Amino acid sequence: MSVVVVGASAAGFATAEGLRRNGYDGALTLVGAEPELPYDRPPLSKQVLTGAWEADRIRLCRPDKATELGLDLRLGTPAAGLDPATRHLALTDGSVLPYEQLVLATGVVPRPFPGTDGLRGLRTLRTLEDSLALRAELAPGVRLVVIGAGFLGTEIAAAARTLGAEVWLVEPEPVPLGIAVGTAVGEFVAGLHREQGVHLHTGPAAAVRDFKVNAGTVEAVVLADGTELRCDLAVVAIGSVPATGWLAGSGLTLGDGIECDAHCSAAPGVYAAGDVASWFHEQAGVRVRLEHRTNATEQGLYVAKALLGQTGEPFTPVPYFWSDQYDTKIVAFGLLRGADEIRVAEGAIADGEFVALYRKGNRLTGVLGVRRAKSVRQWRALLAAGSGWDEALAISPK
């Protein structure tokens, strides 16, 4: 059997490592769009951006490890097309790779702001190169506008303030992270940033209407209400989209990512893992796509076993993510979006130390904690067991 893995980040590397760990000794090719060996992405908006960590610290794979795993590395060569019928993968350098089993782990790309191609002073953050370039421009007094107050945007704002930059954070929703974690927790995050001196603009009036440009360089961000935020640079953090454009015409079902069954299979001989994979989560009863670091590894390892016929169970993880902002760690398990109710079970949001439970229908679907990591992990067991809401409220974690 020959296996080709497209995507040399966490999910792709976990798949390759998992195959070897579980006894696969056949041909194994790892294709990556970036020239870098696999590395960890979450620190890019935190420790790498602040300079607390050097780039070498986030490597997931070094040359000796790649040799040990027997990887045929095709780095810096994005995939260009796929023919599942003939089981051939085309690369941008003109080469074609035949395969018996294929794993798609191409991740996501930043959602662009319309009409801004080619503008200088406007950045996104997805790669190590992006992080290092932004870090080189951040310094005390630099005026930075962050467009988008999701997890990436708020983390960039926190890192920039840590470095002494003057930061404006703009978000058309009422509060930061509101869609992801709910209004009450979003208000807490807003307060956290205001306490650190971030200039926060939220609500419809804070939608970005335009950019003032001089000689091709952004000089100001113009909001819907006419407010002009003069800046030295701006970062667009308005979400991401699955990296599936190259799969047009492949015959795979492409919705919000590569649509797979409950076993992460997208077609005969084709699996998907990581941020790009959309699969039916049987325990949750919904189709999900997770942009979580832990899911990338867990799903990659699951797919490795599936390729070898070593798992008959569907992929039903308890999602987990975290965010570090200033000295505050936010941790969460489960699916939080679209909750019918959010209830504080421990502590108090006003005190900046709490655990919140999330309900959809009559089921516990998520738990989030601020400075209560140990408690949150105890609630995780209830999520794994598929606990009902009443049952969850009746149980006090020990």
Side-chain angles (χ1 to χ4, degrees), residues 169-381:
L169 182 60
V170 300
E171 168 58 57
E173 294 296 325
V175 295
L177 302 178
I179 293 176
V181 299
T183 300
V185 179
E187 288 173 346
F188 164 76
V189 173
L192 190 67
H193 283 271
R194 288 193 177 101
E195 288 172 4
Q196 297 294 330
V198 171
H199 308 286
L200 191 60
H201 294 258
T202 59
V208 174
R209 186 180 76 194
D210 202 358
F211 297 90
K212 282 205 165 182
V213 179
N214 182 21
T217 300
V218 172
E219 289 191 335
V221 177
V222 184
L223 305 185
D225 64 0
T227 299
E228 292 186 12
L229 304 178
R230 297 195 64 80
C231 60
D232 299 301
L233 67 155
V235 177
V236 176
I238 56 174
S240 56
V241 293
T244 59
W246 67 280
L247 289 168
S250 67
L252 298 183
T253 303
L254 307 175
D256 178 27
I258 301 166
E259 294 193 4
C260 304
D261 63 16
H263 298 266
C264 306
S265 174
V270 180
Y271 289 81
D275 297 2
V276 77
S278 168
W279 83 100
F280 186 76
H281 193 299
E282 288 199 353
Q283 186 184 60
V286 295
R287 177 169 291 280
V288 298
R289 185 178 68 81
L290 301 176
E291 296 181 21
H292 298 168
R293 171 63 178 85
T294 51
N295 181 71
T297 295
E298 290 175 357
Q299 198 162 24
L301 294 174
Y302 174 89
V303 166
K305 288 188 174 183
L307 288 168
L308 300 173
Q310 295 178 6
T311 177
E313 297 296 322
F315 183 57
T316 57
V318 176
Y320 167 70
F321 68 86
W322 77 95
S323 179
D324 296 314
Q325 303 189 26
Y326 309 108
D327 63 347
T328 299
K329 180 177 283 292
I330 301 169
V331 298
F333 287 98
L335 301 173
L336 278 57
R337 289 179 182 241
D340 296 326
E341 179 184 357
I342 303 172
R343 185 180 299 191
V344 175
E346 297 182 17
I349 293 178
D351 296 336
E353 186 176 335
F354 61 91
V355 173
L357 305 181
Y358 292 69
R359 173 183 68 81
K360 195 160 190 179
N362 62 358
R363 294 188 60 185
L364 173 71
T365 57
V367 55
L368 176 144
V370 172
R371 299 193 179 100
R372 290 282 181 109
K374 186 175 181 180
S375 290
V376 171
R377 289 186 175 88
Q378 292 174 328
W379 283 99
R380 178 192 182 282

